[in-house]
């Protein structure tokens, strides 16, 4: 379903983003990948999709004792669902590919 593409294009261009990922509200424990910011012990971080069957174990192992639960005010999980809508700035993407010989360190 591609209804989001024009809105995504506008937001991506307005913010000057090299890459943008589309997400939707998600109920806790819903069977859809969750968009999460993962932070390493050394401070490096990456925003990525965590598969729904891996999210709960990841949260529990990282000290989130309640796991994936809905926010009381919104009724949704704090981890939105990924619908695999990606938007790339092709000029920046091509320059990155040229500079790295086609290797990208982190990719969803």
């Amino acid at each position: 379903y591609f209804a989001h593409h024009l809105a995504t294009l506008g937001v991506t261009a307005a913010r000057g983003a090299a890459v943008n990922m589309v997400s939707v509200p998600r109920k806790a424990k819903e069977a859809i990948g969750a968009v999460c910011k993962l932070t390493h012990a050394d401070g490096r971080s990456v925003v990525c999709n965590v598969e729904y069957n891996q999210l709960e174990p990841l949260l529990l192992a990282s000290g989130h004792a309640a796991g994936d639960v809905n926010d009381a005010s919104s009724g949704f999980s704090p981890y939105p669902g990924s619908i695999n809508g990606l938007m790339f700035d092709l000029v920046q993407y091509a320059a990155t590919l040229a500079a790295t010989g086609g290797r990208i360190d982190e990719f969803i």
Side-chain angles (χ1 to χ4, degrees):
Y1 188 65
F2 296 104
H4 64 81
H5 276 89
L6 289 178
T8 304
L9 179 60
V11 170
T12 303
R15 294 189 177 187
V19 180
N20 199 356
M21 179 183 214
V22 180
S23 63
V24 295
R26 180 185 151 279
K27 292 288 190 177
K29 300 176 180 49
E30 185 176 0
I32 181 174
V35 178
C36 301
K37 180 177 181 182
L38 303 178
T39 304
H40 299 270
D42 65 8
R44 292 176 298 130
S45 65
V46 62
V47 175
C48 65
N49 179 69
V50 175
E51 290 301 328
Y52 69 91
N53 61 342
Q54 297 298 308
L55 181 61
E56 188 78 7
L58 175 68
L59 291 171
L60 295 173
S62 62
H64 295 79
D68 185 24
V69 294
N70 290 327
D71 177 71
S73 63
S74 71
F76 290 101
S77 170
Y79 308 100
S82 171
I83 59 170
N84 297 322
L86 298 171
M87 186 74 56
F88 293 89
D89 177 317
L90 292 180
V91 173
Q92 289 185 46
Y93 186 64
T96 300
L97 290 176
T100 64
R103 291 182 304 267
I104 304 295
D105 289 337
E106 303 260 355
F107 185 78
I108 304 169

